Amino acid sequence: KQEVTQIPAALSVPEGENLVLNCSFTDSAIYNLQWFRQDPGKGLTSLLLIQSSQREQTSGRLNASLDKSSGRSTLYIAASQPGDSATYLCAVSNAGNQFYFGTGTSLTVIP
Amino acid sequence: DAGVIQSPRHEVTEMGQEVTLRCKPISGHDYLFWYRQTMMRGLELLIYFNNNVPIDDSGMPEDRFSAKMPNASFSTLKIQPSEPRDSAVYFCASSLRPGVNTEAFFGQGTRLTVV
């Protein structure tokens, strides 16, 4: 069974810093990888989707990379802002379209 | 499209009662997923449907849990009888078919409290 791990579990940074969140998965036979953001008491908002054939995706200050062979993905957030404070989750899907989630990284950006 | 719509947003019920959670997926999406989120276990896939047919229900914790998708625009997750350990946030998500775009879109969730 696919296992997804996210490190660190929690991260606190001052405003303006660049930061990297990590995601690793045990089975490299994935279809895609998706990064989500979850605010307290809210649902999941999709941030970036990387297909298995892609190496990275960018959206604004966010850049996600994927290295399938090593089972790793990173989410890079540039010039962090207090509004970026949330829990970030990565999920991988296999050919059967099941999504396996990591336990998330709780990010706090201090003004 | 208004996105994935779940109801109710909050549900408080007494142990032993039946609970029904509802989900309307994004129109045109072929896949529908039910997840449960708790602090201890994170997000767990309970069951998913493809074209209204249940494909994998191995994540359903017990026979007390059941899910249906009578048509492409509606699904229910039922717990009967409910127990305090069922308290969690239940999410519904939908996506297109593989080969097109499998980005998953989530509803706002139903926060269930069983007392």
Side-chain angles (χ1 to χ4, degrees):
Chain A
K1 181 184 172 183
Q2 178 76 269
E3 292 186 8
V4 183
T5 305
Q6 291 187 245
I7 295 174
L11 181 64
S12 183
V13 300
E15 181 178 2
E17 269 201 12
N18 303 324
L19 59 100
V20 175
L21 308 180
N22 297 292
C23 172
S24 61
F25 45 95
T26 54
D27 185 352
S28 62
I30 66 169
Y31 201 81
N32 65 35
L33 184 144
Q34 196 167 352
W35 281 94
F36 293 88
R37 168 187 173 136
Q38 186 175 28
D39 293 284
K42 303 292 185 182
L44 281 69
T45 300
S46 179
L47 297 174
L48 289 164
L49 172 74
I50 309 177
Q51 304 285 0
S52 62
S53 59
Q54 297 174 323
R55 298 282 295 184
E56 66 177 341
Q57 282 287 331
T58 298
S59 176
R61 295 182 294 108
L62 305 179
N63 176 277
S65 67
L66 173 64
D67 184 343
K68 255 185 60 172
S69 60
S70 67
R72 296 185 182 189
S73 175
T74 61
L75 179 66
Y76 175 83
I77 303 177
S80 58
Q81 303 171 357
D84 295 331
S85 298
T87 296
Y88 291 80
L89 295 149
C90 74
V92 297
S93 71
N94 58 16
N97 231 34
Q98 300 179 57
F99 290 88
Y100 298 90
F101 279 85
T103 50
T105 294
S106 177
L107 172 66
T108 303
V109 180
I110 304 166
Chain B
D1 200 310
V4 177
I5 300 173
Q6 292 185 247
S7 64
R9 291 293 309 278
H10 302 273
E11 177 80 35
V12 180
T13 190
E14 291 185 347
M15 182 174 63
Q17 295 298 307
E18 177 181 295
V19 176
T20 299
L21 311 181
R22 296 172 177 80
C23 175
K24 181 180 186 306
I26 293 174
S27 177
H29 280 192
D30 298 323
Y31 286 79
L32 183 141
F33 307 84
W34 282 100
Y35 285 89
R36 178 172 67 177
Q37 186 177 38
T38 61
M39 288 292 293
M40 292 296 295
R41 300 172 68 91
L43 270 161
E44 302 174 281
L45 176 65
L46 300 176
I47 185 173
Y48 78 95
F49 295 82
N50 178 21
N51 291 325
N52 314 337
V53 177
I55 302 301
D56 185 349
D57 65 354
S58 59
M60 297 284 261
E62 298 172 38
D63 290 345
R64 299 183 295 107
F65 287 69
S66 63
K68 294 182 180 179
M69 192 164 185
N71 57 62
S73 60
F74 183 66
S75 177
T76 59
L77 177 68
K78 185 178 294 186
I79 308 173
Q80 166 63 22
S82 57
E83 296 183 4
R85 60 195 167 111
D86 301 332
S87 298
V89 181
Y90 291 81
F91 287 103
C92 176
S94 69
S95 70
L96 285 167
R97 61 193 182 277
V100 178
N101 185 340
T102 57
E103 185 174 4
F105 295 87
F106 279 72
Q108 291 297 298
T110 295
R111 182 172 296 277
L112 174 64
T113 303
V114 183
V115 299

